Amino acid sequence: MKITNVVCSAGRTGFYFDDQRAIKKGAGHDGVFYIGEPVTDGFRSIRQAGESISVMIVLEDGQVAYGDCAAVQYSGAGGRDPLFLAEDFIPVIENYIKPELIGKEANDFRGLCKMMEAIEVDGKRLHTAIRYGVSQALLDAVAKASGRMMCEVVADEYGCSVSETPVPIFTQSGDARYDNADKMIIKGAQVLPHALINNVETKLGKDGQLLADYVAWLRDRILAYRSDESYAPVMHIDVYGTIGAVFGNNNYTAMADYIQKLEEIAKPFKLRIEGPMDCDCDRETQMVALAGLTAELDKRGATVELVADEWCNTLEDIKLFADNKAGHMVQIKTPDLGGINNTIEAVLYCKEKGIGAYQGGTCNETDRSAQVCVHCAMATQPAQILAKPGMGVDEGFMIVYNEMNRIMAMRKAKAAK
């Protein structure tokens, strides 16, 4: 079935674009606003509304497939592509991608993605957000043209199987790490709470005590309010490099001592620490540092797991971190990889290497990108999937949970025929 048109519309995301460099330099808060001047190119203010582009592919029978272009909250930081603004990039899609897609058969997701990702503008690859959204629409187009679900297209083309059980959902709290943790416990989130520990003085503590106190509070909160004893969520806390900032990015002994202290406090629940250090210089330095701390914890027999995030953005990056055991788990931050075909390959590669695959993303996505990501996850079966978009817990959890259950119900109904 041929593609007859490609239509774009500007949209909003479920969160904001934040200038991470300005925040790390100490930008203050005034309610939801950040105070001060932005320092990253393209930003008009330190925090501004997140933007998206819906890409709608029209098939010759009139069906419309769609996906949403979106970029991460901290665009322009950690080696990522620049700020993604709809008015700047809709013309790129209309001028460079639309002519290539019209007339093509919607029968080969991998082939169409390969063609799309090879397009260059002024000698540069398309922005990751464009490749992300267009690939979602292509997956939906192939599914609609062939009468399959998107997860079934992924399973058929990549030689995997659609899961018959839910993928564990990871919820993130933002700064409302207490009230939102309660929401997560009520909803029965399997992984929680992210916690946004991105400041030493106010969140980690100069000696790490503030985070230790929070882990103890969270442990007691789960024990007090869980619906039954079978509910044992994983504690997954993103520390944004603050542990390294306090104890030294290469002081594996001191960092491991502190992380093991957190591990003991978290019991009886499993603990994951994302981004223990942030070597704000280059990918290799970050990879070596994280691999060193991972090896130190493994040598001690610790059960805590480290999660790679910063400087681990592309499929190539993820393979490098996985090959060198830089972390026990890798966050596959879906918009950063460009086409979702790369997310699919990243999950499968991590599983092949025995590294935990966390199919993540950003709060700054849309309902549509989250739904398509669920289909990819149900086919590739990562260790966990992020509830997105937004930081309100309920909305993102609902979108991911409901799409997952729709998939299982529809496949069960089809099998019963």
Side-chain angles (χ1 to χ4, degrees), residues 87-233:
E87 67 177 2
D88 294 337
F89 289 102
I90 285 178
V92 174
I93 298 171
E94 292 179 338
N95 293 332
Y96 293 93
I97 299 176
K98 180 177 178 177
E100 295 295 327
L101 290 181
I102 290 178
K104 294 289 194 303
E105 290 284 346
N107 60 1
D108 176 7
F109 168 66
R110 296 179 76 170
L112 288 167
C113 284
K114 183 177 180 180
M115 179 272 295
M116 180 270 298
E117 291 217 80
I119 296 172
E120 293 186 348
V121 179
D122 297 329
K124 296 181 180 179
R125 295 186 74 184
L126 297 168
H127 194 291
T128 50
I130 290 178
R131 290 184 274 133
Y132 188 45
V134 173
S135 64
Q136 293 166 36
L138 289 171
L139 178 58
D140 192 21
V142 173
K144 283 184 165 66
S146 60
R148 291 175 289 172
M149 300 174 74
M150 288 184 282
C151 57
E152 293 169 338
V153 173
V154 174
D156 290 344
E157 294 201 15
Y158 288 86
C160 44
S161 301
V162 178
S163 180
E164 296 180 358
T165 57
V167 175
I169 300 173
F170 173 34
T171 45
Q172 54 184 345
S173 66
D175 277 324
R177 63 188 58 81
Y178 293 94
D179 287 347
N180 277 345
D182 286 352
K183 297 178 186 179
M184 297 167 187
I185 295 167
I186 291 171
K187 297 281 178 157
Q190 299 98 329
V191 189
L192 77 184
H194 186 269
L196 196 68
I197 307 300
N198 61 355
N199 183 281
V200 170
E201 292 189 3
T202 62
K203 297 176 182 179
L204 187 87
K206 291 184 178 179
D207 56 358
Q209 190 58 45
L210 291 178
L211 178 55
D213 291 343
Y214 177 73
V215 171
W217 175 87
L218 182 59
R219 173 202 64 206
D220 293 344
R221 201 71 170 171
I222 298 168
L223 292 172
Y225 286 100
R226 62 183 176 177
S227 57
D228 59 68
E229 292 186 0
S230 67
Y231 178 56

Side-chain angles (χ1 to χ4, degrees), residues 13 15-20 23 34 43-52 70-75 82-86 364:
T13 63
F15 205 64
Y16 310 98
F17 288 128
D18 287 341
D19 184 348
Q20 187 182 58
I23 294 169
Y34 279 104
F43 278 83
R44 299 183 299 272
S45 58
I46 296 175
R47 167 165 283 177
Q48 59 192 68
E51 299 187 18
S52 65
V72 298
Q73 173 189 6
Y74 298 122
S75 290
L83 190 65
F84 183 72
L85 302 177
N364 193 48

